[in-house]
Structure formats: structure tokens, C-alpha cells
Amino acid sequence: MSDHVSAQSVSLRNDTVGRQLNMEKLTTVIYPCITFIALLVIWEGSVTLFRVPDYIFPHIMPVLRVLYAGYVEGEMYPHLAYTLKSTLIGYSLGCTLAIIIGASLAESRTFEKFVFPLIIALQSTPKVAVAPLIMIWCGYGISSKIVMVATMCFFPLFVNTVTGIRQTDPAMVNMMRAFSAPGWLTFYRVKIFGAAGHIFAGLQISIVFALLGAVVGEFVGAASGLGWLIQSAMVSFNTPMMFAAILSLIVLGLVGTAIVRFIHRRVVFWERSSGTTAH
Amino acid sequence: MSSTGSFHPTGVSDVAAADSAVVGASLLPRSDPVLKVNALSVVYASSRGPIKAVADLTLSLHQGEFVSVLGPSGCGKSTLLGVLAGLQVATKGSAAVFDRPMMGRPHPNVGVVFQRPTLLPWLSVLDNILIPIEAMRRRKSDYLDRAHELLRLVALEKYASHYPAELSGGMQQRVGLARAMIHSPGLILMDEPFAALDAMTRERMSVELQEILRESGQSVLFITHSIPEAVFLSDRVLMMSASPGRIIKDVAIDLPRPRVTATMAQSEFAEICGALRKLYIQ
Ligand SMILES: Nc1ncnc2c1ncn2[C@@H]1O[C@H](COP(=O)(O)OP(=O)(O)OP(=O)(O)O)[C@@H](O)[C@H]1O
Ligand SMILES: [Mg+2]
């Protein structure tokens, strides 16, 4: 009898715990939605209330109309594709280089001495300032955008790769040495995996930088792309178009980040189980 | 060790004379020692000037012997092990493993168990155990049987495909032990392998370690700062002075083997521990 009662109270407690968990999940979805809706209401309300003209700050409706024309009727796709293409190619290029050069620099003191001052100088260069130069060197086609993207997303990932590899637990490296492991094995078995959390964090930061690079490249000179769309809309005070393009860029950034985060959690599974997920 | 005598504190403070004075050790056939350390000194350079970690340390270890090095924290035990594992170099004196002088390069016939398990979190237990094989560029597939046998020996046969984070501290340390034994080294070096474990697990691990070694018959240099642990496991206990470390006593432990959990409750065991403790206080 008493067993029965205690079993019941246990299941009761489990129920409340379960309910709390569900509430927790629900609120993490609902609360940001409320914030978002509130923002839309404030936006529409104040634009209407203060009679702000559309060319300064558009109502929601014209923006939706542009989005509809853009993504349902398809006017936006060529631009989206152009920006996406330069971003993806440039991102892959910049990130590959960042990981290779970062890893070599972290591993080889000699290489570090050769290139470190150069990299510091490049890192402190405002990358946007060299965009016009890149146009002259690479032309107004997509290659200049690719180079711009690669330049922008190189440094965050480069820094993270170096830090990640340098922070390898010395006890692990000693362990490998004690078993006569050659350097390449220690690098492959210990350092790369040990740095994986940092590298993925860098990959995530680099996504935003990559989009920034693509947009700047298109600002400086292009014939299509979301950045070009924003700039040409500026000339005609087409703010709804600008809003629509900016929204598209935000979505690109969010989707890219979500994808990298998903892969991060899949690949770096051991950090999750020890409760130290890197964001 | 098969000597039947009881506790013989030799009271030898002169290290050079230690070998000949230890009754237990002298009963062994005099093969070339597995491990020979002669007047070893290690000095660290630091910003506050040189730090002498080990001073004029001499010891030897023979085939099949289990020798503990017992000493207070900071006396240079890990430094000694570092030299023997080929991870650091001596400032003065010499250390030889299987007749090869240790000059900062590891000897392939040695396995090391560290104070922390140092398992790679991204590898399964099985792959972790096979790391030394990979390091020696041998074929891993040739060692799968041995790996599974070792897993059985350390009572983890069901955990081959688990990851280290899924194991308790004691289980992880046992994986570390299996890793140190995968290439059947003639000598195993252990640096306080059970120091991070709770007292109960620790006692159980001592018993298990003894069982495992009874099957494999390897020589072991075991570093610890626990007197009962040293007494329970060892054929000889070497006591180190406080920093800079030297061997101040070489004590043969002649408790009959196999020693079991009940051994720790015997008055003889307590006596030896007490005597060692007294030596320390002096
Ligand atoms: N890399 C280092 N640089 C400078 N001094 C060091 C270094 N490593 C150790 N020491 C010094 O050498 C001495 C011995 O250190 P060691 O780690 O060998 O001690 P230990 O006996 O293993 O101690 P514990 O039981 O706490 O592990 C200590 O006084 C320590 O301060
Ligand atoms: Mg130590």
C-alpha cells in the first residue's frame, strides 16, 4: 500500500517535472515571437501615427509586396543566387586557407616567424578599405566578390584555428610522445580534434563576415546580387526593396549559422556529452 | 617476489649502499636491471632561478619487480617519471631503461599510465587502447584480439565502443592501464594512477591491478603518495625525501602474494605501514 502511494507520488513529481520542461520549451519559442510581433506592431503603428512617408520608412505592406514579387513571382532569385554563389565559393576558399595556414602556423615556429608579422598587419587592415583595389585586380565580375568574401572570413577562423591548436591539452601531447607517436599522428589524433570546437566557432562567425564581404563587393561594383539591389534601390529611394533585400540577407545569415551549428553538434559530439558546448 | 621473510626496514640512508643491503632484493637472480638510475639530477630553469627537482637520485628495478616510489607532494616524483618515460632530459647523472640511456626519447618497450587518464574524448575505448599501436606504426588489426583480452582483464569488455565521457573515473583509469599494456611492454611506469579516485575505488583498483599483473608478469615502477597503496602492491618501496628528491630508504615488502583485500586488515600490513610512516616523520 505504502509502496503504491510512493510510486504514485513519484509519478506525480515526474509529471510536474515533465510539464515544467514543456513550459520551458514553449516559452523559449513563444517569448521571442511576442517580442517580434511587438516590434512589427510598433513599426506599423509609429509609421502610420507619424505619417512617415514610404521612401523614408515603409509600411509593412509594401515590404511584403516586394517580398512577394521577389520570391513568389521570382524577381529576387537571380540576385539571391548571385550573392549566395559568391558567398559560398568565397567562404569555402577563405575557410580552407584559414584552417591550413592557421594549423601550419600553430605547428611550425619557423613558418610562424616568417608570416606572423605579415598576418598581424593584414589583420589590422580594415578589409572594406581594400575592396576597390580588389575590383581593379579581379574585375567587376563574380571573382572580385569571391576574393572579398574569402578575405573577410579568413581572419576570424584563422585566429580560432591557431588558438584552438595552441590550447591543446599538454598532457595529451605528452601522452602521445610517451608512446613514441610521430608528430603528424599527434597533430591528426589530438590537435585537430582538440581544436574542432574552436574551428567550428570560427566557421560560424565567418558566415556573417562572408555575407558582409559579398555585400561590400557588390556595393563597390556589380550588376546583380542582394547588395547591388540595396544600392540601386537607394538611388530611387525604394526603401521597401532595401528592406526586402536586407531581410533576405538576415535569413541567409541565420540559415548558414544554423547549418554550421548543426554540423558542429554532430561532429564535435564529445563536447556535448561533457557539457561544454561551444556556441 | 617469493621471499617469505617479514618486514625488513633496512634503514639505509646511504643510497649507494642500498642495493646490497636490501634483503628482499638480494634474493632475486641478478639479471641486468630493467631500470637503472644513477646519481640523477634534474634542474628546472625558471624565472625565479633554477629549481632543483631531483637531486642525486639512484635506484634500480629488476625483471618482474613491482617497485613503488613513495614521496610527499612536489618532491620530484613526476620529474623522475618524466625522465624515465623519455619526456624530459636529466641535468646530471644517468637513467637507463633496458640498457638504453634515456636522452629524452621514449623507449618502445615501456608503457606509461598517467595521473590523469588522458584518454582522447573523440575516440572510442577500443581506439584509445590502440593508440600506442598506431604510434608505433604497426597494424591495428593485428592487435584487436589483444585489445579485447586486455578489456576483459580490466573488466571493461562491454565498453569497447563507448566513449571516455560515458565512463566513470575509475573505468577511465583502467582504460589507461589497458592502453599502457597493449604493446606488451616489459616495463610499466605509473604516475599516481589512482590519486584522483575515491578511497574505496582506489582500494579495489589496487587489488585489480595486482591481479592483472599476476597474469602479465611485467615490471612496474609505481609512483604514489599513499603508504598503504605502496605496501599493498610492492615488492620494494623506495622512499623519497622532500624536494629536491632523493631516495632515502629502500624497503622490501615481504607480505606473501597474492595479496587480497583482507591483507589490508592484517596486523602485519598495519605494522609495515606504521613503520614506514615513522620513517617519514624522522
Ligand atoms: N616545468 C617546471 N618548471 C619549473 N619547476 C617545475 C616544473 N615542473 C616541476 N617543477 C618543480 O619541481 C618540483 C618537483 O615537481 P614534480 O612534479 O616532479 O613533483 P611530484 O613529486 O610529482 O609532486 P606531486 O606528488 O604533487 O605530483 C616541484 O618543486 C615543482 O615546483
Ligand atoms: Mg606528480
Side-chain angles (χ1 to χ4, degrees):
Chain A
M1 181 63 199
S2 71
D3 266 352
H4 177 77
V5 170
S6 73
Q8 209 171 30
S9 72
V10 163
S11 87
L12 258 178
R13 203 169 38 233
N14 278 347
D15 257 20
T16 30
V17 168
R19 216 174 295 144
Q20 271 168 0
L21 271 180
N22 269 339
M23 272 312 281
E24 182 73 31
K25 260 190 203 159
L26 226 59
T27 51
T28 49
V29 176
I30 288 177
Y31 289 2
C33 285
I34 292 174
T35 312
F36 190 67
I37 291 168
L39 266 177
L40 290 180
V41 169
I42 293 171
W43 169 6
E44 189 64 26
S46 34
V47 169
T48 314
L49 189 69
F50 301 113
R51 306 213 178 140
V52 183
D54 264 357
Y55 68 86
I56 294 200
F57 208 119
H59 286 265
I60 292 174
M61 224 24 227
V63 176
L64 287 180
R65 257 199 307 272
V66 175
L67 281 174
Y68 184 86
Y71 290 110
V72 180
E73 289 164 7
E75 286 169 17
M76 204 85 112
Y77 285 125
H79 300 288
L80 182 78
Y82 187 84
T83 303
L84 203 57
K85 189 175 167 195
S86 62
T87 305
L88 284 180
I89 299 175
Y91 179 78
S92 317
L93 190 74
C95 290
T96 310
L97 283 177
I99 292 175
I100 291 174
I101 297 178
S104 326
L105 188 135
E107 275 293 88
S108 156
R109 289 279 161 198
T110 323
F111 184 64
E112 181 185 346
K113 280 182 194 154
F114 272 112
V115 300
F116 196 62
L118 174 70
I119 287 190
I120 290 292
L122 288 179
Q123 196 183 358
S124 30
T125 313
K127 259 67 73 185
V128 176
V130 297
L133 259 183
I134 290 176
M135 293 299 141
I136 291 179
W137 290 337
C138 306
Y140 283 76
I142 197 161
S143 46
S144 58
K145 319 297 174 292
I146 291 172
V147 172
M148 196 61 211
V149 171
T151 314
M152 290 297 279
C153 62
F154 176 85
F155 286 97
L157 182 55
F158 168 80
V159 170
N160 271 34
T161 305
V162 174
T163 317
I165 289 178
R166 286 269 164 85
Q167 276 181 0
T168 310
D169 186 350
M172 298 287 189
V173 177
N174 258 345
M175 180 274 290
M176 292 299 280
R177 267 183 64 203
F179 288 112
S180 316
W184 62 265
L185 187 70
T186 306
F187 179 76
Y188 155 65
R189 275 294 188 212
V190 179
K191 296 186 181 173
I192 278 291
F193 282 89
H198 273 94
I199 291 176
F200 271 102
L203 282 170
Q204 201 174 313
I205 302 166
S206 287
I207 285 198
V208 178
F209 278 84
L211 282 171
L212 186 59
V215 170
V216 168
E218 291 168 17
F219 277 2
V220 177
S224 81
L226 293 171
W228 173 81
L229 214 53
I230 293 172
Q231 215 201 15
S232 53
M234 181 186 77
V235 181
S236 53
F237 286 91
N238 187 355
T239 43
M241 175 59 84
M242 295 169 95
F243 267 66
I246 291 168
L247 273 177
S248 309
L249 285 167
I250 291 173
V251 170
L252 279 187
L254 287 177
V255 170
T257 308
I259 291 173
V260 172
R261 205 178 250 177
F262 176 78
I263 301 174
H264 183 171
R265 248 179 275 147
R266 275 296 163 94
V267 174
V268 193
F269 61 91
W270 59 91
E271 280 185 6
R272 188 172 21 139
S273 51
S274 64
T276 53
T277 33
H279 296 290
Chain B
M1 282 264 294
S2 56
S3 43
T4 47
S6 61
F7 178 52
H8 303 286
T10 54
V12 186
S13 50
D14 176 8
V15 180
D19 261 2
S20 54
V22 175
V23 178
S26 67
L27 290 176
L28 278 167
R30 276 298 149 139
S31 56
D32 269 350
V34 167
L35 187 63
K36 195 146 187 49
V37 178
N38 196 10
L40 180 81
S41 295
V42 180
V43 178
Y44 288 107
S46 81
S47 51
R48 291 194 198 81
I51 297 175
K52 207 160 194 182
V54 173
D56 204 22
L57 186 149
T58 298
L59 69 84
S60 62
L61 189 155
H62 291 267
Q63 183 62 49
E65 247 188 328
F66 192 114
V67 173
S68 288
V69 175
L70 187 65
S73 186
C75 72
K77 303 186 295 292
S78 295
T79 306
L80 169 67
L81 187 120
V83 172
L84 296 176
L87 296 175
Q88 55 194 100
V89 287
T91 313
K92 246 172 53 195
S94 68
V97 174
F98 296 108
D99 282 330
R100 203 192 85 183
M102 295 308 293
M103 310 286 274
R105 242 188 58 228
H107 194 294
N109 199 16
V110 171
V112 186
V113 184
F114 299 90
Q115 190 157 345
R116 284 200 289 135
T118 59
L119 304 179
L120 301 178
W122 39 87
L123 292 185
S124 69
V125 164
L126 185 66
D127 286 333
N128 264 293
I129 292 179
L130 289 169
I131 278 281
I133 299 307
E134 217 176 357
M136 287 187 268
R137 281 175 257 190
R138 297 191 195 158
R139 281 241 307 275
K140 281 203 276 183
S141 52
D142 294 346
Y143 285 84
L144 284 180
D145 285 345
R146 168 134 182 94
H148 283 290
E149 187 198 315
L150 281 169
L151 276 174
R152 189 186 48 76
L153 214 56
V154 296
L156 289 172
E157 62 263 63
K158 288 202 209 78
Y159 293 88
S161 58
H162 283 56
Y163 287 90
E166 299 167 306
L167 307 184
S168 73
M171 290 157 98
Q172 291 183 19
Q173 205 50 270
R174 284 186 306 209
V175 176
L177 182 61
R179 180 179 60 189
M181 296 174 83
I182 183 76
H183 52 307
S184 313
L187 171 68
I188 305 178
L189 305 172
M190 302 195 195
D191 189 358
E192 307 193 37
F194 309 144
L197 306 178
D198 63 276
M200 261 164 69
T201 313
R202 201 169 170 155
E203 233 167 61
R204 219 186 53 231
M205 294 283 291
S206 289
V207 176
E208 281 170 16
L209 175 62
Q210 194 208 210
E211 282 303 304
I212 291 166
L213 290 170
R214 227 153 54 91
E215 286 189 41
S216 66
Q218 279 141 317
S219 320
V220 178
L221 185 77
F222 187 89
I223 284 171
T224 179
H225 55 232
S226 156
I227 292 175
E229 196 172 82
V231 171
F232 182 82
L233 285 166
S234 309
D235 300 315
R236 274 194 296 142
V237 175
L238 308 178
M239 302 190 68
M240 266 175 101
S241 65
S243 183
R246 300 180 301 119
I247 306 291
I248 47 168
K249 292 283 190 300
D250 184 333
V251 180
I253 309 293
D254 291 336
L255 292 168
R257 289 189 191 269
R259 298 169 191 164
V260 289
T261 319
T263 309
M264 294 183 222
Q266 282 171 7
S267 60
E268 215 183 337
F269 184 84
E271 253 170 55
I272 300 175
C273 291
L276 284 179
R277 211 164 277 132
K278 228 191 290 170
L279 286 175
Y280 243 111
I281 295 163
Q282 284 168 5

